[in-house]
Short mmCIF file of all heavy atoms in Angstrom, two decimals:
data_model
loop_
_atom_site.label_atom_id
_atom_site.label_comp_id
_atom_site.label_asym_id
_atom_site.label_seq_id
_atom_site.Cartn_x
_atom_site.Cartn_y
_atom_site.Cartn_z
N VAL A 2 146.31 46.03 126.88
CA VAL A 2 145.81 46.98 127.86
C VAL A 2 144.33 46.74 128.08
O VAL A 2 143.59 46.52 127.12
CB VAL A 2 146.03 48.43 127.38
CG1 VAL A 2 145.38 49.41 128.34
CG2 VAL A 2 147.50 48.71 127.22
N LYS A 3 143.92 46.76 129.33
CA LYS A 3 142.51 46.65 129.59
C LYS A 3 142.05 47.84 130.41
O LYS A 3 142.63 48.14 131.46
CB LYS A 3 142.19 45.35 130.32
CG LYS A 3 140.70 45.12 130.45
CD LYS A 3 140.38 43.69 130.81
CE LYS A 3 138.88 43.48 130.81
NZ LYS A 3 138.51 42.11 131.12
N VAL A 4 141.03 48.51 129.90
CA VAL A 4 140.41 49.63 130.61
C VAL A 4 138.98 49.23 130.91
O VAL A 4 138.22 48.89 129.99
CB VAL A 4 140.46 50.91 129.74
CG1 VAL A 4 139.80 52.07 130.49
CG2 VAL A 4 141.90 51.26 129.37
N THR A 5 138.64 49.27 132.17
CA THR A 5 137.33 48.79 132.60
C THR A 5 136.54 49.92 133.25
O THR A 5 137.04 50.58 134.15
CB THR A 5 137.50 47.63 133.61
OG1 THR A 5 138.30 46.61 133.03
CG2 THR A 5 136.14 47.05 133.99
N GLN A 6 135.33 50.09 132.79
CA GLN A 6 134.43 51.07 133.39
C GLN A 6 133.37 50.32 134.17
O GLN A 6 132.86 49.29 133.73
CB GLN A 6 133.81 51.97 132.33
CG GLN A 6 134.84 52.83 131.63
CD GLN A 6 134.25 53.76 130.60
OE1 GLN A 6 134.76 53.85 129.50
NE2 GLN A 6 133.18 54.48 130.95
N SER A 7 133.03 50.86 135.33
CA SER A 7 132.22 50.10 136.29
C SER A 7 130.79 49.87 135.83
O SER A 7 130.21 48.84 136.11
CB SER A 7 132.23 50.81 137.64
OG SER A 7 131.77 52.14 137.48
N SER A 8 130.22 50.84 135.14
CA SER A 8 128.80 50.71 134.79
C SER A 8 128.61 50.97 133.31
O SER A 8 129.11 51.97 132.79
CB SER A 8 127.96 51.71 135.59
OG SER A 8 128.16 51.56 136.97
N ARG A 9 127.90 50.10 132.62
CA ARG A 9 127.61 50.33 131.21
C ARG A 9 126.43 51.27 131.02
O ARG A 9 126.41 52.08 130.09
CB ARG A 9 127.30 49.01 130.51
CG ARG A 9 128.47 48.07 130.35
CD ARG A 9 129.55 48.62 129.41
NE ARG A 9 129.08 48.98 128.09
CZ ARG A 9 128.97 48.14 127.06
NH1 ARG A 9 129.28 46.88 127.22
NH2 ARG A 9 128.54 48.56 125.88
N TYR A 10 125.44 51.13 131.90
CA TYR A 10 124.24 51.95 131.78
C TYR A 10 123.83 52.45 133.16
O TYR A 10 123.82 51.69 134.12
CB TYR A 10 123.07 51.14 131.18
CG TYR A 10 123.37 50.59 129.81
CD1 TYR A 10 123.84 49.29 129.66
CD2 TYR A 10 123.18 51.36 128.67
CE1 TYR A 10 124.12 48.77 128.40
CE2 TYR A 10 123.46 50.85 127.41
CZ TYR A 10 123.93 49.57 127.29
OH TYR A 10 124.20 49.07 126.04
N LEU A 11 123.53 53.76 133.23
CA LEU A 11 123.05 54.33 134.49
C LEU A 11 121.89 55.27 134.18
O LEU A 11 121.92 55.98 133.17
CB LEU A 11 124.12 55.16 135.20
CG LEU A 11 125.43 54.53 135.58
CD1 LEU A 11 126.47 54.77 134.52
CD2 LEU A 11 125.92 55.12 136.90
N VAL A 12 120.92 55.28 135.08
CA VAL A 12 119.83 56.25 135.01
C VAL A 12 119.79 56.97 136.35
O VAL A 12 119.66 56.32 137.40
CB VAL A 12 118.48 55.57 134.72
CG1 VAL A 12 117.37 56.63 134.68
CG2 VAL A 12 118.54 54.81 133.41
N LYS A 13 119.91 58.28 136.32
CA LYS A 13 119.94 59.08 137.53
C LYS A 13 118.93 60.22 137.42
O LYS A 13 118.46 60.55 136.32
CB LYS A 13 121.34 59.65 137.77
CG LYS A 13 122.41 58.60 137.95
CD LYS A 13 122.24 57.84 139.25
CE LYS A 13 123.34 56.82 139.44
NZ LYS A 13 123.16 56.08 140.72
N ARG A 14 118.62 60.81 138.55
CA ARG A 14 117.70 61.95 138.56
C ARG A 14 118.48 63.25 138.69
O ARG A 14 119.58 63.29 139.26
CB ARG A 14 116.72 61.81 139.71
CG ARG A 14 115.80 60.61 139.55
CD ARG A 14 114.53 60.74 140.38
NE ARG A 14 113.65 59.61 140.13
CZ ARG A 14 112.80 59.54 139.11
NH1 ARG A 14 112.71 60.53 138.24
NH2 ARG A 14 112.03 58.49 138.96
N THR A 15 117.91 64.31 138.19
CA THR A 15 118.51 65.63 138.29
C THR A 15 118.85 65.93 139.74
O THR A 15 118.03 65.72 140.65
CB THR A 15 117.54 66.69 137.76
OG1 THR A 15 117.24 66.40 136.39
CG2 THR A 15 118.15 68.08 137.83
N GLY A 16 120.08 66.41 139.95
CA GLY A 16 120.52 66.77 141.29
C GLY A 16 121.27 65.67 142.02
O GLY A 16 121.91 65.93 143.04
N GLU A 17 121.20 64.46 141.52
CA GLU A 17 121.91 63.36 142.17
C GLU A 17 123.41 63.47 141.95
O GLU A 17 123.87 64.02 140.93
CB GLU A 17 121.43 62.00 141.63
CG GLU A 17 120.14 61.51 142.21
CD GLU A 17 119.89 60.06 141.85
OE1 GLU A 17 120.48 59.17 142.49
OE2 GLU A 17 119.10 59.82 140.91
N LYS A 18 124.18 62.91 142.85
CA LYS A 18 125.63 62.83 142.69
C LYS A 18 125.94 61.51 141.99
O LYS A 18 125.40 60.46 142.36
CB LYS A 18 126.31 62.89 144.05
CG LYS A 18 127.82 63.06 143.97
CD LYS A 18 128.40 63.38 145.35
CE LYS A 18 129.88 63.71 145.26
NZ LYS A 18 130.45 64.12 146.56
N VAL A 19 126.77 61.58 140.97
CA VAL A 19 127.06 60.40 140.15
C VAL A 19 128.56 60.14 140.13
O VAL A 19 129.36 61.08 139.96
CB VAL A 19 126.56 60.60 138.71
CG1 VAL A 19 126.82 59.34 137.89
CG2 VAL A 19 125.07 60.95 138.70
N PHE A 20 128.93 58.89 140.33
CA PHE A 20 130.33 58.47 140.25
C PHE A 20 130.49 57.51 139.08
O PHE A 20 129.79 56.50 139.00
CB PHE A 20 130.76 57.75 141.53
CG PHE A 20 130.85 58.62 142.74
CD1 PHE A 20 129.74 58.83 143.54
CD2 PHE A 20 132.05 59.22 143.09
CE1 PHE A 20 129.82 59.64 144.66
CE2 PHE A 20 132.14 60.02 144.21
CZ PHE A 20 131.02 60.24 145.00
N LEU A 21 131.43 57.81 138.20
CA LEU A 21 131.79 56.88 137.13
C LEU A 21 133.22 56.44 137.39
O LEU A 21 134.12 57.26 137.51
CB LEU A 21 131.68 57.56 135.76
CG LEU A 21 130.28 58.06 135.39
CD1 LEU A 21 130.30 58.72 134.02
CD2 LEU A 21 129.26 56.94 135.40
N GLU A 22 133.40 55.12 137.49
CA GLU A 22 134.70 54.58 137.85
C GLU A 22 135.40 53.98 136.63
O GLU A 22 134.76 53.36 135.77
CB GLU A 22 134.54 53.50 138.92
CG GLU A 22 133.82 53.94 140.16
CD GLU A 22 134.69 54.78 141.07
OE1 GLU A 22 135.92 54.75 140.91
OE2 GLU A 22 134.13 55.47 141.93
N CYS A 23 136.71 54.12 136.61
CA CYS A 23 137.51 53.56 135.53
C CYS A 23 138.79 52.99 136.11
O CYS A 23 139.46 53.64 136.93
CB CYS A 23 137.84 54.65 134.52
SG CYS A 23 138.93 54.12 133.18
N VAL A 24 139.13 51.78 135.66
CA VAL A 24 140.34 51.12 136.14
C VAL A 24 141.13 50.62 134.93
O VAL A 24 140.56 50.03 134.01
CB VAL A 24 139.99 49.93 137.06
CG1 VAL A 24 141.25 49.18 137.46
CG2 VAL A 24 139.23 50.41 138.28
N GLN A 25 142.45 50.86 134.95
CA GLN A 25 143.32 50.29 133.90
C GLN A 25 144.37 49.42 134.57
O GLN A 25 144.82 49.71 135.68
CB GLN A 25 143.95 51.40 133.05
CG GLN A 25 144.65 52.50 133.82
CD GLN A 25 146.12 52.33 133.98
OE1 GLN A 25 146.71 51.35 133.48
NE2 GLN A 25 146.76 53.27 134.66
N ASP A 26 144.77 48.37 133.85
CA ASP A 26 145.59 47.33 134.47
C ASP A 26 147.03 47.30 133.96
O ASP A 26 147.73 46.32 134.15
CB ASP A 26 144.94 45.96 134.26
CG ASP A 26 144.88 45.55 132.79
OD1 ASP A 26 145.30 46.34 131.92
OD2 ASP A 26 144.39 44.44 132.52
N MET A 27 147.48 48.39 133.30
CA MET A 27 148.82 48.36 132.70
C MET A 27 149.76 49.38 133.32
O MET A 27 150.77 49.72 132.72
CB MET A 27 148.71 48.60 131.19
CG MET A 27 148.10 47.43 130.45
SD MET A 27 149.05 45.90 130.65
CE MET A 27 150.50 46.30 129.69
#
Side-chain angles (χ1 to χ4, degrees):
Chain A
V2 174
K3 187 163 185 179
V4 180
T5 305
Q6 295 182 227
S7 56
S8 305
R9 290 294 304 274
Y10 301 95
L11 302 94
V12 180
K13 298 292 181 180
R14 295 201 176 276
T15 300
E17 280 192 80
K18 191 169 186 176
V19 182
F20 291 88
L21 299 179
E22 304 284 342
C23 175
V24 176
Q25 51 96 1
D26 65 357
M27 289 300 290

